[in-house]
Amino acid sequence: MARPVLPRLRAGALANSAREFLDFRSRTTSYQPLPSSYEFLSSSTEHEDTSVSKKPKRSARTAIMVLLIVLLVFIGGFGISWARTDSSLTEYPPLIDATIDTLIAGLDNKKFTSVDLVNAYLARIAEVNGTLYPVTEVNPDALAIAAKLDEERSSKAIRGPLHGIPILIKNNIGTDDGMTTTAGSWALMGAKVPSDATVVEKLRAAGAIILGKTNLSQWANFRSSNSSNGWSAYGGQVYGPYYPNQDPWGSSSGSGVASALGLALGSLGTETDGSITGPASLNNLVAIKPTVGLTSRHLVIPISEHQDTVGPMTRTVKDAAYILQAIAGVDPLDNYTSAIPNTQLPDYVAACKISALSGARLGVPRNVIELRSDNTTGPVVEAFEQALKVLRDAGAIVVDTEFPAALEFRNSDVPGRVLDADFVVNLKSYLDLLTYNPNSITSLEALRTFTQSSPLEGYPLRDTGIWDEALQGWNNTDPRFWPAYQQNVYYGTEGGLLGAIERDHLDAVVLPADFASSYAATVGAPIVTVPLGSYPSDMPTVANEWGLLDVAPNIPFGISFLGAKFTEESLIGFAYGFEQRTLVRNKIKPYVAPNTELVDVVQAR
């Protein structure tokens, strides 16, 4: 059977807009003043429909139009043409490497403003979004919000370390603003949530700017049995930035690519099993997959109440800790958060100590490494063994351990059946909360009918196999669910991660990131992932049926620290100690990256 050819799908009208952008830039020969935020929005109105006349109409102008039009006016208007000096690069941190601390310093010293940051990030999004498609839409209010936060900073009313810092969020996290929450599907286009998701509410309260929403594997990789990581009907196919046609992994694909390229300070992703840590690994990032219940899932489009969690994806451990500090905590609208052990959260930022590894007892489940190794994982395992030496040299005690049920777990259909059972019920619970539901998507059955009948949804090339299976089985209110769930829990307790931690008196388990996620998923345990290395220049490429490569020269991979529930503080410390001793991220460069920097925006005022 011939391999299907992956279409070069575009996010909304990005294909036409990219061509218009290039045409406009070629006609722009002189410097133009940088538009104010008001002029940005006015310009978008004047140019409406120039590139989308053949696209499906939507019930209202959405934020993606702002992305496609506002950014073209912005970049075409002022052009990036002058030479940067060494001193300017020192004063204005390169955005692909910028940290919260360096941005705070610049903001406090009035080198730039949050409006400057938003403008720079918007320009960077426009530069790469027609190639890699990581962002589905930008917040039409971002500049106004940034201006307000700049005023607060001027009056010394600073909310915290995230004050005025732009962050992107995955497009399954609800926002009650001018953006949509679609999970990558046209089925929810125009649907409205009653309020911001709790994690968004917390970010806004901390002063963060929600810059936009990132593309994802549609329905968080929970629709098709034959689709690709990073594809959604609404957003197109995300590509990783480290090799042409790189698989971005999923489902937080756009969040991974956007954070890797400095399209925002960082991003939020969601994980059921590997959807934060996987894209982080393949995009040279740090990620924290929190314990289920540490961060609220209220108004986040669900898969499984037992496994879903929301966490940060950033370029450094400390930045991830800053964001986790802002979004963690008890929420009466998500009863799983009531399991948080103490009313006072740990200081996750303070956990970032170079000495954290000293005396830590870390386990290596050798049977898992053997089980997961194949003819492509040699460089990963080799780098992992070198990492263990770094950990020992830092004072950690590294011992071998075992997950007794690892083989049975790998061959079991129980984990999938548990997720199916949760999804049918949990999805309906989310849909019931919508205040506006223009396509009347009230159940999984209705969603499947829409998907199979809409020409926009890529069906039947990309099937609905996961939903078909879920609808044929039982849900989590059925008596058959409980024994299946208990079996699933066994794979993560006595048969796996938590059992090994208890038996061998471990502080954490370490694994190559690409081997790790499932062993924490079934019990909702936390993971912190940091960069470990990349495939060598002579590595043969391996493509899937969609032509995407997750094995090729320069594609990164990570190392994961897994712990017992609510041990994020310790895991962050271990990850920080490893990160600071290796600084792997600085050694792996993307093949494509945006050029706009803060200095360009500041000098163009």
Side-chain angles (χ1 to χ4, degrees), residues 37 107 110 113-115 143-159 163-164 209:
S37 60
L107 290 165
K110 300 181 180 179
T113 66
S114 291
V115 168
L143 286 161
I145 293 168
K148 180 178 183 296
L149 291 165
D150 282 334
E151 290 176 5
E152 290 182 12
R153 185 177 294 276
S154 296
S155 62
K156 308 299 183 184
I158 297 174
R159 306 184 191 189
H163 189 108
I209 300 165

Side-chain angles (χ1 to χ4, degrees), residues 87-348:
S87 62
S88 69
L89 289 175
T90 302
E91 254 180 73
Y92 304 101
L95 291 175
I96 200 167
D97 298 318
T99 65
I100 290 174
D101 287 342
T102 58
L103 293 182
I104 289 172
L107 290 165
D108 285 346
N109 292 323
K110 300 181 180 179
K111 298 297 183 184
F112 49 85
T113 66
S114 291
V115 168
D116 293 330
L117 275 175
V118 169
N119 280 330
Y121 284 131
L122 292 179
R124 290 171 71 83
I125 290 168
E127 285 185 69
V128 299
N129 218 34
T131 304
L132 304 177
Y133 317 111
V135 178
T136 57
E137 52 197 295
V138 296
N139 187 350
D141 302 318
L143 286 161
I145 293 168
K148 180 178 183 296
L149 291 165
D150 282 334
E151 290 176 5
E152 290 182 12
R153 185 177 294 276
S154 296
S155 62
K156 308 299 183 184
I158 297 174
R159 306 184 191 189
L162 296 185
H163 189 108
I165 302 296
I167 291 174
L168 289 161
I169 64 173
K170 187 176 179 180
N171 202 342
N172 62 346
I173 301 174
T175 53
D176 184 21
D177 56 13
M179 295 185 288
T180 59
T181 307
T182 66
S185 171
W186 293 95
L188 293 185
M189 177 56 60
K192 298 293 184 183
V193 290
S195 64
D196 285 336
T198 301
V199 289
V200 173
E201 185 178 279
K202 285 175 172 284
L203 283 176
R204 293 196 206 270
I209 300 165
I210 308 302
L211 183 64
K213 294 200 175 181
T214 57
N215 202 358
L216 71 161
S217 309
Q218 192 180 48
W219 296 104
N221 253 350
F222 211 75
R223 166 192 148 176
S224 303
S225 60
N226 68 337
S227 192
S228 55
N229 290 314
W231 178 87
S232 72
Y234 178 61
Q237 176 65 58
V238 183
Y239 296 92
Y242 290 92
Y243 196 87
N245 291 323
Q246 180 197 336
D247 191 326
W249 214 244
S251 64
S252 304
S253 314
S255 294
V257 173
S259 295
L261 294 180
L263 307 187
L265 180 282
S267 59
L268 289 189
T270 66
E271 176 157 331
T272 307
D273 182 351
S275 290
I276 291 174
T277 56
S281 177
L282 268 72
N283 287 287
N284 202 23
L285 290 175
V286 172
I288 300 175
K289 178 247 174 173
T291 303
V292 171
L294 183 62
T295 56
S296 171
R297 290 86 49 86
H298 177 60
L299 293 178
V300 177
I301 297 174
I303 293 176
S304 166
E305 64 185 82
H306 294 97
Q307 293 186 201
D308 292 350
T309 189
V310 182
M313 303 172 71
T314 61
R315 294 177 293 277
T316 70
V317 173
K318 193 174 184 182
D319 284 352
Y322 273 124
I323 295 175
L324 181 63
Q325 198 77 54
I327 64 174
V330 174
D331 176 15
L333 297 173
D334 181 349
N335 66 337
Y336 281 71
T337 63
S338 64
I340 295 175
N342 301 302
T343 54
Q344 182 70 34
L345 289 172
D347 188 334
Y348 298 120

